[in-house]
Amino acid sequence: MSLKDRISEEIKAAMKAKDKLRLETVRGIKKVILEKESEIRGKGRDKLTEEEELAVVMQLAKQRRDSIKQFTDAGREELADKEAKELEVLEEYLPAQLSEEEIEAAVDEAIAQVGATGPRDMGKVMGPVMQKLKGQADGGKVQAIVKSKLMN
């Protein structure tokens, strides 16, 4: 079952359960997927790949994380809480996130593969690491780990 089909089923379930927050969040995912599909129709395709669908959810989750930080910094806890609840729903559609130790192991492996020696090699390391960890780790967290490893 594609993510789009799963989302359609989740919309029905949320409507039956009268779960307003879940319904809004899941409808938001479907809206963005439909927008992306309309963009690619001009390119001769009519459906997103699973990777592209995953990228949509990752983008929405990243937006929620950014919003939570901004609302918290502005002292708007009620809005930050709403965004956090939406993020929980979005994370149900993402692969399990890796622990910091697992990310560090992947970074160490990439550093060894490319022979990185210092901060100027950060781009050489980030590319392969992000490709390997796609969807399983936040890019900001990976970048911070790579930076700390290359500074030593």
Side-chain angles (χ1 to χ4, degrees):
M1 174 184 290
S2 75
L3 179 62
K4 183 178 169 187
D5 296 335
R6 184 175 161 204
I7 295 291
S8 295
E9 293 300 316
E10 292 278 338
I11 288 173
K12 291 175 195 171
M15 287 171 76
K16 286 179 184 176
K18 296 188 181 354
D19 186 345
K20 185 178 176 185
L21 179 85
R22 182 175 208 65
L23 180 61
E24 286 177 14
T25 305
V26 177
R27 277 183 173 161
I29 297 170
K30 186 168 184 178
K31 175 183 172 267
V32 177
I33 288 174
L34 291 173
E35 288 172 356
K36 295 285 184 187
E37 284 180 345
S38 70
E39 288 175 18
I40 64 168
R41 278 198 190 97
K43 299 175 184 164
R45 294 184 0 210
D46 62 340
K47 286 191 169 215
L48 296 176
T49 64
E50 282 186 34
E51 258 186 24
E52 291 169 327
E53 288 177 339
L54 180 63
V56 165
V57 180
M58 288 172 48
Q59 175 191 12
L60 292 170
K62 182 179 186 321
Q63 288 172 348
R64 294 308 181 287
R65 285 186 200 99
D66 292 344
S67 295
I68 290 167
K69 182 179 179 341
Q70 290 176 2
F71 287 140
T72 303
D73 291 347
R76 302 291 310 264
E77 294 304 320
E78 71 284 355
L79 294 174
D81 289 343
K82 181 180 184 287
E83 295 287 324
K85 289 175 184 168
E86 289 179 7
L87 179 60
E88 286 177 24
V89 173
L90 290 169
E91 286 176 341
E92 293 175 19
Y93 301 98
L94 294 173
Q97 297 294 295
L98 297 175
S99 69
E100 196 157 326
E101 293 78 28
E102 292 169 315
I103 297 170
E104 285 182 14
V107 168
D108 289 338
E109 184 181 318
I111 288 172
Q113 278 180 346
V114 300
T117 57
R120 69 180 177 280
D121 295 326
M122 192 160 171
K124 291 180 191 175
V125 175
M126 284 298 292
V129 169
M130 288 309 295
Q131 192 67 30
K132 183 177 181 181
L133 303 181
K134 191 169 200 152
Q136 299 177 324
D138 177 56
K141 185 183 272 187
V142 174
Q143 183 180 21
I145 291 171
V146 169
K147 190 181 268 185
S148 72
K149 296 261 184 197
L150 293 178
M151 291 295 180
N152 296 338

